[in-house]
Amino acid sequence: MQFRKPMALHALALGMALALTGACVSTPVHAASNDNNVEWNGLFHDQGPMYDNHPEPTASQSVTLTLRTFKSDITSANIKYYDSADSSFHWVAMHWVSNDPTGRFDYWQGTIPASSSEKYYRFQINDGSSTAWYNAAGISSSEPSSGDFFIIPGFTTPDWMKNGVVYQIFPDRFYNGDTSNDVTNGQYTYAGCATEKHTWGSSVTSNVGGCNSAVFFGGDLQGVIDKLGYIKNTLGADIVYLNPIFKSPTNHKYDTEDYTTVDPAFGTNSLLQTLIGDVHSTSNGPKGYVILDGVFNHTGDTHKWFDRYNWWSSNGAYESQSSTWYDYYTFQQWPGTYSGFFGIASMPKLNYGASGSAVRNAIYGSSTSVMQTYLKAPYSIDGWRLDAAQYLDANGNNGSDAVNHQIMREMRTAVMSVNPNAEILGEFWGDASSWLSSGDQWDGAMNYNGFTNPVSEWICGVDESGNSNSLTPSGLDSWLHGTRADLPTDVQQTMTNELGTHDTSRFATRCGGDIWKTYLGLIFQMTYVGTPTIYYGDEYGMQGGNDPDDRRTFDWSQGTTNNSAVALTQKLIAIRKQYSALRTGSFMTLLTDDSNHIYAFGRFDASHRIAVVLNNDSSSHTVTVPAYQLSMTDGSTVTDVLNGGTYTVQNGNVTVTVDGHYGAILEQ
């Protein structure tokens, strides 16, 4: 659900713009030397598998770090790390180990000893009297005070999330697999709105003003089951994220009436088990995973705990101050004044109280809690997406505080006790590092801040809500770099990268209906750091303005590879699956060309080196990519896996022509 504060660009990235970005454009031919000058353009480190031997170390594993420099450029290098165990800095001297395949670079290594404590590190790099500092935020001549790389022993994020592709479904609008459970016109009235059954493909706007949440089209869980072949095989996605499916009087179901029951318009609890089993199955495509939407900041006012309209036989908090559930909510003046989600009366806010409270036990703490029940057989879901996660709190407070973080730590402990491989995905629209940087709360967050918004501003010229705002490639790179630096690497790899969601206008609409911009967005999404997440229909360029227009019905005449964007999506997901470098490899900026609207970056590991070139201009451009930065050797061949074209590395560079609003994925 979307209620957010305006976002600011990250100070880390803006304050330390990478020298690498601008310098890579020129052809490198000179030899480095010990000349009291650290050449920044040769420096590289991240926590990809070539530069960190244990990206997710146990408490008993030491961590050997590799730093790249130009050959013979430096006289010494050190790792400086802060250890939370003794609140002190420590130094590790690095030593030269080898050259890269091109002979242009040296590799230096040092090892941080094993322990259970969280650590943060940076590099001090010396060439005689000259010193450079390098950390996750960038390179600087003076020692940084923030932006270091993380080491969090014992913390892991799910490998299936790192390596997967998510497909997000708003159930009422995806496919109607069972017409017998459709909500009909006037079937019931809630909040003054009678239900409306609309024809598939027709307007999502209610016939009666202010009743958009009462418009139903008939999509259901059987529809998802019927279309798993499209998701798993046509597209190749393997993680299904469902917007809320529990009983609720509205179409969006963010006002839960009963966490224990699938909404009858979507099916039954037994059918949910069937759907999960079919997603998990390998007999109908690759093994898949299911993430459910957990709306735990608030309930609906029809939930039996609250029962504003006397729908239940028991007394809810709204009906009686002696109700079993009275303390589940926060009343300023009973019954009419109470804390709600952003003051919305139909969404009374849960009171999480102190540790061990009844609400905490009901939602996550006990073996029969909502979260644990669906993680266990016979459901065995694979993760929870946490709606409005920052707001969970006690006594009507608005979250983002010590109590919220305590709740999230307890929630993680509860989830891990049932399934240590489960995903906890938080909804947050800004810098989510408060929940992500210590390894004790969420695994990742919806990446509005580090993908959706900046990519929209760069490609479409508007933010995710459609407000005019544009970015240059260099501005984009600074934004992306800063948001990556905020987070541990294994968190970056499980941030969900959406072009759009149920809370934004559609990407295709923000981009003015230009299908080539959808192509470009898809190429970016499938090659960047994080888990690509397709909001149903974005793969064919579905149109739609802000809520509720972003929740149109899926046009199944477009759900085929006869649609060029769907065919491209299929190809891109297959490419991502083929090359681990695109999933867990290093990321390096190669080129930002603001005048020609070009952005190029590398993804690489020990097996493959890949240069991704994105052209956000309307016309084609010939781009010279500094392939030597990826240790591509002169005379070697690269292949554009999008079109099969081959190119030869010459003088450290690869030159490729890229169509307007399109990309190249150059692999060797």
Side-chain angles (χ1 to χ4, degrees):
M1 307 195 72
Q2 178 191 5
F3 291 92
R4 63 188 176 90
K5 299 175 182 177
M7 206 207 82
L9 285 176
H10 280 65
L12 289 176
L14 295 179
M16 291 185 182
L18 267 175
L20 175 67
T21 302
C24 284
V25 181
S26 59
T27 302
V29 290
H30 72 282
S33 62
N34 296 149
D35 56 359
N36 297 313
N37 176 37
V38 178
E39 299 197 38
W40 289 11
N41 194 32
L43 301 178
F44 183 78
H45 169 82
D46 72 357
Q47 292 176 312
M50 293 180 65
Y51 288 87
D52 183 334
N53 76 326
H54 287 128
E56 294 183 314
T58 66
S60 61
Q61 289 176 323
S62 59
V63 178
T64 297
L65 304 172
T66 301
L67 173 72
R68 191 196 75 175
T69 70
F70 273 136
K71 184 177 181 181
S72 302
D73 180 44
I74 68 167
T75 51
S76 67
N78 298 287
I79 302 166
K80 183 178 181 180
Y81 71 92
Y82 179 86
D83 192 332
S84 62
D86 62 7
S87 302
S88 299
F89 282 100
H90 304 263
W91 291 80
V92 173
M94 304 187 77
H95 59 277
W96 180 92
V97 288
S98 64
N99 296 120
D100 85 311
T102 70
R104 295 174 186 268
F105 298 106
D106 287 334
Y107 292 126
W108 293 67
Q109 284 186 345
T111 299
I112 295 178
S115 80
S116 61
S117 56
E118 188 169 347
K119 305 170 192 71
Y120 316 92
Y121 68 88
R122 62 191 66 155
F123 298 95
Q124 181 206 51
I125 306 154
N126 307 299
D127 185 5
S129 60
S130 176
T131 295
W133 293 87
Y134 190 115
N135 69 2
I139 311 171
S140 58
S141 55
S142 58
E143 184 170 5
S145 59
S146 61
D148 289 337
F149 292 99
F150 297 83
I151 295 177
I152 310 177
F155 172 61
T156 62
T157 59
D159 286 342
W160 58 266
M161 195 73 182
K162 296 184 185 84
N163 291 297
V165 175
V166 177
Y167 195 78
Q168 179 190 346
I169 295 172
F170 194 83
D172 183 62
R173 310 293 162 84
F174 185 58
Y175 185 64
N176 188 349
D178 180 2
T179 57
S180 71
N181 61 18
D182 291 1
V183 175
T184 57
N185 282 313
Q187 181 172 324
Y188 58 85
T189 297
Y190 169 67
C193 294
T195 56
E196 299 180 16
K197 171 65 185 300
H198 287 208
T199 304
W200 202 265
S202 65
S203 173
V204 298
T205 305
S206 57
N207 299 323
V208 176
C211 291
N212 291 333
S213 294
V215 173
F216 294 87
F217 286 87
D220 48 33
L221 297 187
Q222 186 61 52
V224 180
I225 293 170
D226 291 350
K227 295 299 185 180
L228 280 181
Y230 170 76
I231 297 167
K232 295 179 73 169
N233 298 316
T234 302
L235 296 180
D238 59 349
I239 303 168
V240 175
Y241 156 42
L242 298 172
N243 283 109
I245 59 168
F246 301 125
K247 189 174 183 182
S248 152
T250 62
N251 53 33
H252 55 73
K253 315 232 170 284
Y254 281 100
D255 46 0
T256 313
E257 182 176 322
D258 184 356
Y259 293 110
T260 69
T261 305
V262 170
D263 193 276
F266 288 168
T268 63
N269 289 43
S270 175
L271 192 65
L272 174 61
Q273 295 168 29
T274 299
L275 168 59
I276 295 165
D278 287 354
V279 174
H280 287 167
S281 173
T282 57
S283 65
N284 57 357
K287 173 179 168 55
Y289 303 84
V290 175
I291 296 174
L292 293 186
D293 208 330
V295 188
F296 302 135
N297 172 69
H298 51 272
T299 65
D301 58 5
T302 63
H303 197 288
K304 72 175 178 180
W305 297 342
F306 196 78
D307 200 14
R308 182 178 179 184
Y309 300 107
N310 308 306
W311 285 12
W312 298 80
S313 57
S314 52
N315 281 332
Y318 188 88
E319 297 169 292
S320 172
Q321 290 176 280
S322 60
S323 167
T324 304
W325 306 293
Y326 181 77
D327 290 334
Y328 281 35
Y329 302 92
T330 304
F331 290 90
Q332 288 76 39
Q333 186 172 351
W334 181 86
T337 307
Y338 49 87
S339 298
F341 178 55
F342 278 84
I344 301 171
S346 62
M347 296 179 174
K349 185 176 173 65
L350 284 168
N351 174 18
Y352 277 80
S355 186
S357 72
V359 168
R360 297 193 193 199
N361 284 335
I363 297 299
Y364 60 80
S366 74
S367 61
T368 57
S369 64
V370 178
M371 295 186 75
Q372 293 195 39
T373 293
Y374 291 99
L375 286 164
K376 293 186 292 194
Y379 300 100
S380 302
I381 68 167
D382 303 283
W384 285 102
R385 180 259 187 186
L386 304 177
D387 178 65
Q390 79 212 66
Y391 299 111
L392 275 68
D393 210 335
N395 304 316
N397 292 325
N398 211 30
S400 298
D401 57 13
V403 173
N404 176 272
H405 291 296
Q406 179 193 56
I407 292 166
M408 293 303 162
R409 285 191 291 270
E410 291 179 0
M411 187 180 286
R412 181 175 188 85
T413 299
V415 168
M416 294 297 107
S417 74
V418 178
N419 179 2
N421 207 27
E423 166 73 11
I424 303 172
L425 174 67
E427 179 196 15
F428 194 73
W429 290 68
D431 173 9
S433 57
S434 296
W435 293 269
L436 296 170
S437 61
S438 296
D440 59 356
Q441 297 175 66
W442 310 339
D443 293 300
M446 300 176 74
N447 207 9
Y448 292 109
N449 185 42
F451 187 81
T452 311
N453 205 30
V455 170
S456 183
E457 292 194 11
W458 183 53
I459 298 178
C460 306
V462 297
D463 67 16
E464 77 266 288
S465 297
N467 303 306
S468 182
N469 216 345
S470 61
L471 278 178
T472 61
S474 57
L476 171 72
D477 185 62
S478 290
W479 187 330
L480 296 179
H481 184 204
T483 55
R484 290 196 308 277
D486 288 335
L487 304 172
T489 294
D490 55 356
V491 171
Q492 296 174 36
Q493 293 166 347
T494 57
M495 296 292 281
T496 55
N497 292 335
E498 304 95 350
L499 294 175
T501 72
H502 61 290
D503 282 330
T504 71
S505 55
R506 287 280 181 174
F507 183 79
T509 297
R510 280 180 267 133
C511 281
D514 184 344
I515 195 64
W516 284 86
K517 293 186 177 183
T518 287
Y519 299 158
L520 180 60
L522 289 166
I523 296 168
F524 203 164
Q525 181 183 41
M526 295 296 167
T527 54
Y528 189 60
V529 181
T531 307
T533 300
I534 302 167
Y535 181 43
Y536 78 102
D538 277 356
E539 72 272 24
Y540 70 72
M542 185 190 282
Q543 299 280 325
N546 287 318
D547 179 10
D549 198 38
D550 54 354
R551 304 170 184 184
R552 295 183 189 178
T553 54
F554 194 101
D555 180 355
W556 283 102
S557 71
Q558 301 301 315
T560 163
T561 51
N562 291 332
N563 177 287
S564 57
V566 172
L568 177 63
T569 303
Q570 180 189 68
K571 176 178 282 191
L572 287 166
I573 292 177
I575 290 168
R576 188 175 179 89
K577 285 183 176 179
Q578 184 174 354
Y579 299 108
S580 59
L582 294 174
R583 307 189 303 270
T584 55
S586 290
F587 179 97
M588 176 190 292
T589 300
L590 295 175
L591 185 149
T592 59
D593 180 345
D594 290 353
S595 60
N596 290 310
H597 312 289
I598 304 295
Y599 184 46
F601 56 86
R603 302 297 313 277
F604 58 97
D605 57 19
S607 301
H608 294 279
R609 293 152 298 282
I610 298 173
V612 179
V613 187
L614 305 176
N615 177 8
N616 191 36
D617 205 355
S618 56
S619 58
S620 63
H621 285 289
T622 299
V623 183
T624 299
V625 181
Y628 78 98
Q629 285 280 359
L630 300 180
S631 293
M632 293 178 175
T633 57
D634 284 349
S636 67
T637 299
V638 299
T639 301
D640 184 350
V641 292
L642 280 178
N643 64 17
T646 58
Y647 306 88
T648 302
V649 180
Q650 296 178 308
N651 298 319
N653 296 319
V654 167
T655 301
V656 59
T657 299
V658 184
D659 288 339
H661 294 130
Y662 209 66
I665 303 175
L666 307 174
E667 176 275 327
Q668 67 163 223

